[in-house]
């Protein structure tokens, strides 16, 4: 599979206690397991990202379970309450067990 | 006269047999029907399993979806649940189901008080025009549900 590329967008600076939006996008085919091979007619096995976890300074703040109906190149946005400056770690796990990670710095003023 | 009576008796038995066969046939049809229309039932079943016998309430959930989705492959969905999001009272999870999809489960979002607001957006696939259901589980165990219909022009589950 092509190299998986993850993109994350967060505000440059957030005030303490402010709730900010995290937007993420990851390149992944999200093979649903419902499609059939054009020539053989066999079902193409499922290969999707099934788990997403967001950790803020070591504490899991948001997670999500995905099924076959999540679109290819999944987009996800959610919110986090700013506490301290630090790192926001996003991790996507797919059916093969591969984990794709992306870390973003958060600056709290 | 006697023979006629027998005849009647026989035919009555026959009728009984036919009726039971008919019931079986009808059951067979309804069973088949349930296989064909399993998705909606699967959704209802999944929701009631989540609720675990508790009352399913309406309200609190804002489900943002397009009325008409031209492309069923990427239908933007945004869900927000009204909650103070404190340690004592927050939204634990929100589950999204698509009734008309071959596999009704779409996604589950798990929030924490550190989320600030219980709001998430994702893009999903919809096979055809159908209802999208959001079920929210609160920290106190109460269950809320919201449903929105989306008209899909081109289905998004591949051939």
């Amino acid at each position: 599979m092509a190299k998986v590329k993850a993109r994350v967008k967060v505000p440059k600076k957030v005030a303490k206690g402010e709730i900010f939006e995290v937007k993420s996008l990851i390149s992944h085919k999200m093979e649903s397991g419902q499609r059939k091979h054009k020539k053989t007619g066999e079902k193409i096995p499922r290969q999707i990202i099934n788990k997403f976890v967001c950790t803020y300074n070591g504490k899991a703040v948001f997670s999500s379970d995905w099924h076959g109906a999540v679109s290819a190149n999944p987009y996800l946005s959610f919110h986090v309450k700013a506490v301290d400056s630090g790192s926001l770690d996003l991790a996507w796990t797919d059916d093969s067990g591969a984990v794709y990670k992306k870390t973003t710095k958060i600056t709290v003023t | 006269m006697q023979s006629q009576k027998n005849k009647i008796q026989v035919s009555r038995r026959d009728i009984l047999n036919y009726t039971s066969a008919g019931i079986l046939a009808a059951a067979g049809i309804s069973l088949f029907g349930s296989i064909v229309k399993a998705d909606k039932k699967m959704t209802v079943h999944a929701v009631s399993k989540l609720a675990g016998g508790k009352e399913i309430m309406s309200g609190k959930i804002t489900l943002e979806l397009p009325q008409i989705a031209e492309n069923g492959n990427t239908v933007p969905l945004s869900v927000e649940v009204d909650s103070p999001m404190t340690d004592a009272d927050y939204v634990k999870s929100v589950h999204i189901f698509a009734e008309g999809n071959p596999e009704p489960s779409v996604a589950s979002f798990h929030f924490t008080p550190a989320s600030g607001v219980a709001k998430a957006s994702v893009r999903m696939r919809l096979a055809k025009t159908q209802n999208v259901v959001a079920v929210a589980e609160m920290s106190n165990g109460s269950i809320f549900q919201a449903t929105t219909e989306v008209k899909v022009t081109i289905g998004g589950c591949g051939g």
Side-chain angles (χ1 to χ4, degrees), chain A residues 58-102:
Chain A
K59 192 185 160 205
V61 289
F62 176 85
S63 66
S64 186
D65 300 317
W66 291 350
H67 301 273
V70 172
S71 300
N73 303 327
Y75 163 84
L76 175 71
S77 88
F78 56 95
H79 293 74
V80 181
K81 201 173 182 177
V83 186
D84 284 310
S85 295
S87 67
L88 201 66
D89 301 300
L90 284 77
W92 294 260
T93 311
D94 82 1
D95 282 343
S96 68
V99 182
Y100 313 106
K101 284 180 183 170
K102 183 93 182 171

Side-chain angles (χ1 to χ4, degrees), chain B:
Chain B
M1 191 67 202
Q2 183 66 42
S3 69
Q4 213 172 22
K5 204 180 174 186
N6 273 339
K7 221 177 183 175
I8 289 165
Q9 272 176 345
V10 166
S11 67
R12 185 188 283 157
R13 188 172 290 166
D14 273 357
I15 287 163
L16 276 170
N17 283 340
Y18 287 143
T19 333
S20 61
I23 288 165
L24 279 175
I29 288 164
S30 67
L31 193 72
F32 182 68
S34 74
I35 288 165
V36 172
K37 285 184 181 170
D39 310 316
K40 196 180 174 187
K41 281 188 181 165
M42 272 156 75
T43 305
V44 172
H45 181 73
V47 171
S48 61
K49 205 175 155 188
L50 272 173
K54 273 172 275 180
E55 192 196 349
I56 300 166
M57 289 174 277
S58 60
K60 286 209 178 197
I61 305 173
T62 315
L63 195 55
E64 270 177 52
L65 280 160
Q67 275 189 334
I68 299 168
E70 281 183 9
N71 182 359
N73 265 317
T74 53
V75 183
L77 170 143
S78 182
V79 64
E80 184 169 5
V81 185
D82 185 24
S83 164
M85 294 304 273
T86 56
D87 286 338
D89 182 7
Y90 65 97
V91 182
K92 257 165 83 177
S93 302
V94 174
H95 309 273
I96 308 293
F97 300 99
E99 282 180 354
N101 273 8
E103 182 200 3
S105 292
V106 177
S108 302
F109 306 114
H110 307 291
F111 301 98
T112 62
S115 303
V117 285
K119 187 179 180 187
S121 306
V122 76
R123 286 176 194 149
M124 64 176 177
R125 295 175 175 132
L126 290 178
K128 57 183 181 197
T129 298
Q130 57 180 286
N131 284 335
V132 175
V133 180
V135 179
E137 271 183 87
M138 308 308 222
S139 57
N140 64 7
S142 56
I143 305 282
F144 288 86
Q145 186 183 342
T147 307
T148 305
E149 196 200 33
V150 183
K151 288 190 166 60
V152 178
T153 319
I154 303 164
C157 278

